[in-house]
Amino acid sequence: MIEKKAALVTGASQGIGRAIALKLAQDGYNIMINYYIGNEPQAEEVRALCESYGVKAAIVQGDISKKDDVEALVKATVLAFGSIDVLVNNAGITKDNLMLRMSDEDFEDVIDVNLKGVFYLTKTTSKIMFKKRSGKIINITSVSGITGNAGQANYAASKAGVIGLTKTVAKELAARGIQVNAVAPGFIQTDMTHILGDDLKAKIQETVPLKRLGVPEDIANMVSFLASSNANYITGQVFQVDGGLVM
């Protein structure tokens, strides 16, 4: 019997992370669902849905900006499934404001989760993949990290940092058969965009060449491809899934 591979997905209790976890479960991966404080009911729902595809799934609460939490998360995944074959760094936060009004704390908090968290997880998980001489690391960045975005100095900086980290780590780990890539979503229908008014969403859609917002499954499908053997000769790349917004 062939052992199922295991995927660790951060921020997987809702939105894009939820869609990624479900798609990878559908692809046959055992799934570790990381969630933040207060999201346990949603994480449990994702776990049950993943298991409906005939795979094992588990949940672990953890703040990825804390090194101890990251090490506990990785350890729990290895204990549950024996290894980690795919890491999806999806968890992220926003604390938007114009730069002149942005507090030091709001800048640092976003950098800590969105960038430092990816660094901690990549460093800790790659040690496991290093020994196996195989693995896939997929980082969820943003088109904001490519173009910048007014009111998001912290977020855009963190996501641009993720792109630089992706390319650097891809070069460092390539000799060990580990591929590292990033996916940059555009405007995706999640809880973040749900709070926007209909008029604003209509204006946003007009800026997208495909004239619609994306859905979480659009991102999950790209992650599924990058996690598969079909992407074994792809590393250090940033894939924009944005309806043509940034060309």
Side-chain angles (χ1 to χ4, degrees):
M1 181 178 176
I2 299 174
E3 284 290 319
K4 279 186 168 63
K5 291 185 176 182
L8 165 57
V9 184
T10 66
S13 64
Q14 57 191 354
I16 290 172
R18 180 183 190 273
I20 291 169
L22 294 178
K23 177 60 178 173
L24 292 178
Q26 192 174 0
D27 291 343
Y29 291 89
N30 293 325
I31 307 292
M32 179 58 78
I33 299 151
N34 160 250
Y35 68 98
Y36 192 60
I37 298 168
N39 290 343
E40 185 173 353
Q42 297 98 311
E44 282 288 2
E45 180 185 353
V46 176
R47 181 190 61 76
L49 288 170
C50 286
E51 289 181 342
S52 72
Y53 291 110
V55 301
K56 295 178 182 177
I59 67 171
V60 174
Q61 186 271 324
D63 180 351
I64 65 165
S65 70
K66 293 181 169 59
K67 191 173 182 180
D68 289 347
D69 280 21
V70 167
E71 289 177 350
L73 170 58
V74 171
K75 184 177 180 180
T77 307
V78 174
L79 284 173
F81 306 128
S83 188
I84 300 175
D85 301 283
V86 176
L87 167 65
V88 183
N89 284 309
N90 165 76
I93 62 171
T94 57
K95 292 191 175 183
D96 296 352
N97 213 332
L98 294 174
M99 183 189 69
L100 292 177
R101 297 176 183 170
M102 186 175 290
S103 69
D104 292 352
E105 291 78 13
D106 283 354
F107 186 87
E108 289 163 4
D109 287 350
V110 171
I111 294 294
D112 284 349
V113 174
N114 295 7
L115 181 56
K116 196 182 290 183
V118 173
F119 169 73
Y120 286 153
L121 274 153
T122 300
K123 183 177 181 180
T124 306
T125 305
S126 64
K127 293 175 183 177
I128 297 165
M129 296 178 174
F130 205 78
K131 293 176 182 177
K132 297 183 358 168
R133 302 186 73 90
S134 68
K136 308 274 189 173
I137 299 173
I138 302 158
N139 299 323
I140 306 302
T141 179
S142 169
V143 293
S144 294
I146 298 170
T147 65
N149 196 28
Q152 289 193 313
N154 48 6
Y155 185 77
S158 71
K159 293 301 188 177
V162 167
I163 291 172
L165 182 64
T166 298
K167 291 176 177 291
T168 299
V169 175
K171 289 182 177 181
E172 292 183 1
L173 300 182
R176 285 280 174 163
I178 301 166
Q179 290 89 56
V180 188
N181 292 290
V183 180
F187 289 108
I188 306 297
Q189 294 182 48
T190 64
D191 288 344
M192 284 185 185
T193 56
H194 184 67
I195 61 174
L196 302 175
D198 290 340
D199 289 346
L200 181 54
K201 281 196 279 190
K203 288 180 180 178
I204 290 171
Q205 285 183 191
E206 283 303 308
T207 68
V208 179
L210 288 183
K211 301 303 179 188
R212 70 171 178 87
L213 300 184
V215 294
E217 289 73 20
D218 292 323
I219 309 305
N221 287 336
M222 176 57 77
V223 172
S224 171
F225 166 69
L226 291 173
S228 75
S229 60
N230 292 325
N232 281 353
Y233 200 57
I234 300 172
T235 197
Q237 303 304 307
V238 181
F239 294 88
Q240 294 163 208
V241 183
D242 61 2
L245 181 65
V246 180
M247 293 191 186

